[in-house]
Amino acid sequence: MPDALDATPYDALLLLSFGGPEGPDDVVPFLENVTRGRGIPKERLKEVGQHYFLFGGVSPINDQNRALLDALRKDFAEHGLDLPVYWGNRNWAPYLTDTLREMVADGRRRILVLATSAYASYSGCRQYRENLADALAALEAEGLELPKIDKLRHYFNHPGFVEPMIDGVLRSLADLPEDVRAGAHIAFTTHSIPTSAADTSGPVEAHGEGGAYVEQHLDVAQLIADAVRERTGVDHPWRLVYQSRSGAPHIPWLEPDICDHLEEQHEAGVPAVVMAPIGFVSDHMEVLYDLDTEAKAKAEELGLPVRRSATVGADPRFAAAVRELITERAAVERGQEITPCALGALGASHNLCPVGCCPARAPHPAAAGADSPYA
């Protein structure tokens, strides 16, 4: 048996994700949850949901989270980490509030949260923290004893997140025809967000053009590009590009879009492109539709060979990274000196989101940060 790892003071891990529909009847109600408060008519939501209907109304994200849960539990058991793992979503079952209620009923009092978003941004971090605060407020209104909740730090530059993506890019390059492989361009993709949200992402000192959101993605892209050069001997040109834009067209969002970028590369005479979705933990709908459907259709129209590399998903190295992040944070809570694990130029992210980090447009309570009302 492995030596027991110490997660004290924590007594549970919560996998917190976005959620997705699991059948055609779920699509519009799911989108109503996602867009609640924006006054979007149901007919418009049916139009927006067409890409879900192309796949039977099923988003792959829930099954991918189930696979990740299995990988985490397997890794923890193999390495002697006695920590139960729960799962809650922001926008679909199992809902976050229901899961927290279950955890309280099970006697969980110190909870660590793993969000399925690796980078700093409002939608990728603070909004999850706001959802946690809303769930805690609901439990408080029910008279339940509230647990103390902490969130694991951003893991974009942890080796267990980066190394599977390096391997994915290498496999995609190897899968290209040999006559175009050496000249292939790498398009590192992530979710586009409003430039105003990007500019204010991360702690206040990181605010500026693109903020921590762009800076962190660029750091990961450079890590992968450097590793590819070291392992193949080829220095592939690359660029960070964006996908999955939504919202009003008059609001500036991060650019260039992946389809526009493919056109630009084709016009420049690039012989092939590898699309590497570094901004996504798993192959969920934004990857399945925006890259595997729309972007590949654009490349086919252009006659441009493309490959799409894999996301991290339930890779055992990512499960091991989560275990390491847990034991690292637990040691910090116990007052021990530790050296956090991180690659690249930026170092390990903060454990506690500071005041002013990834602010919302309108003030809203957020848990698991320096400004939490549930400290």
Side-chain angles (χ1 to χ4, degrees):
M1 292 291 292
D3 294 332
L5 296 176
D6 192 1
T8 309
Y10 298 106
D11 56 18
L13 177 71
L14 169 61
L15 177 67
L16 177 55
S17 194
F18 193 81
E22 300 200 81
D25 293 342
D26 296 345
V27 173
V28 171
F30 163 73
L31 292 173
E32 286 175 332
N33 288 342
V34 174
T35 61
R36 181 170 287 117
R38 301 183 204 172
I40 299 176
K42 183 169 288 191
E43 290 307 310
R44 174 58 182 152
L45 293 179
K46 290 179 181 177
E47 294 175 18
V48 172
Q50 286 306 309
H51 57 282
Y52 287 99
F53 293 123
L54 288 174
F55 299 93
V58 178
S59 167
I61 192 171
N62 281 348
D63 276 347
Q64 289 164 2
N65 280 327
R66 293 182 184 104
L68 179 56
L69 287 167
D70 289 344
L72 291 171
R73 289 165 179 154
K74 181 175 185 290
D75 179 90
F76 292 1
E78 289 176 348
H79 292 86
L81 181 61
D82 183 17
L83 195 70
V85 186
Y86 296 74
W87 171 34
N89 288 325
R90 285 170 48 180
N91 299 298
W92 202 249
Y95 288 103
L96 169 60
T97 301
D98 295 336
T99 300
L100 277 182
R101 189 182 294 111
E102 177 189 355
M103 297 177 82
V104 169
D106 289 347
R108 310 305 175 193
R109 295 294 177 262
R110 287 296 301 271
I111 297 169
L112 260 178
V113 173
L114 167 68
T116 54
S117 177
Y119 300 85
S121 70
Y122 171 73
S123 57
C125 183
R126 186 177 176 89
Q127 193 169 14
Y128 283 101
R129 294 176 48 227
E130 291 179 354
N131 297 143
L132 285 166
D134 290 342
L136 289 170
L139 299 190
E140 187 174 39
E142 296 170 12
L144 298 177
E145 181 180 352
L146 299 186
K148 185 179 186 321
I149 294 180
D150 291 321
K151 179 178 174 291
L152 287 172
R153 64 177 173 87
H154 301 303
Y155 47 84
F156 64 93
N157 57 1
H158 193 287
F161 186 68
V162 176
E163 288 167 0
M165 294 191 291
I166 294 170
D167 288 348
V169 172
L170 289 169
R171 285 193 297 269
S172 292
L173 286 167
D175 191 49
L176 284 168
E178 189 173 358
D179 61 333
V180 298
R181 189 179 304 151
H185 170 89
I186 306 174
F188 294 105
T189 78
T190 190
H191 208 301
S192 184
I193 61 175
T195 56
S196 59
D199 293 346
T200 56
S201 58
V204 172
E205 60 270 20
H207 293 180
E209 187 174 356
Y213 185 74
V214 172
E215 182 181 43
Q216 290 171 359
H217 281 87
L218 288 172
D219 197 45
V220 171
Q222 188 67 65
L223 282 167
I224 297 172
D226 288 348
V228 169
R229 183 185 65 250
E230 290 166 6
R231 298 182 197 184
T232 66
V234 179
D235 192 5
H236 291 273
W238 63 269
R239 185 170 180 184
L240 177 63
V241 302
Y242 303 92
Q243 61 173 93
S244 312
R245 179 195 163 124
S246 60
H250 68 279
I251 297 175
W253 283 53
L254 292 173
E255 295 178 335
D257 177 78
I258 178 61
C259 289
D260 295 338
H261 185 63
L262 292 176
E263 288 187 345
E264 292 168 2
Q265 295 306 303
H266 176 65
E267 291 171 2
V270 167
V273 174
V274 168
M275 301 182 293
I278 62 172
F280 304 89
V281 172
S282 63
D283 289 3
H284 51 64
M285 187 57 73
E286 282 87 347
V287 176
L288 199 65
Y289 182 77
D290 297 331
L291 293 184
D292 291 354
T293 305
E294 281 195 329
K296 284 190 176 179
K298 171 58 70 175
E300 186 174 345
E301 172 192 320
L302 298 169
L304 178 66
V306 296
R307 297 293 185 271
R308 195 269 292 172
S309 67
T311 53
V312 172
D315 190 291
R317 289 169 291 183
F318 181 47
V322 174
R323 168 174 40 86
E324 291 169 6
L325 289 166
I326 291 167
T327 55
E328 169 196 299
R329 180 62 183 274
V332 170
E333 291 297 306
R334 295 193 302 268
Q336 296 175 222
E337 292 288 333
I338 56 98
T339 301
C341 187
L343 301 174
L346 300 181
S349 294
H350 48 260
N351 278 321
L352 190 68
C353 292
V355 176
C357 193
C358 304
R361 292 181 191 169
H364 192 103
D371 55 355
S372 172
Y374 298 102

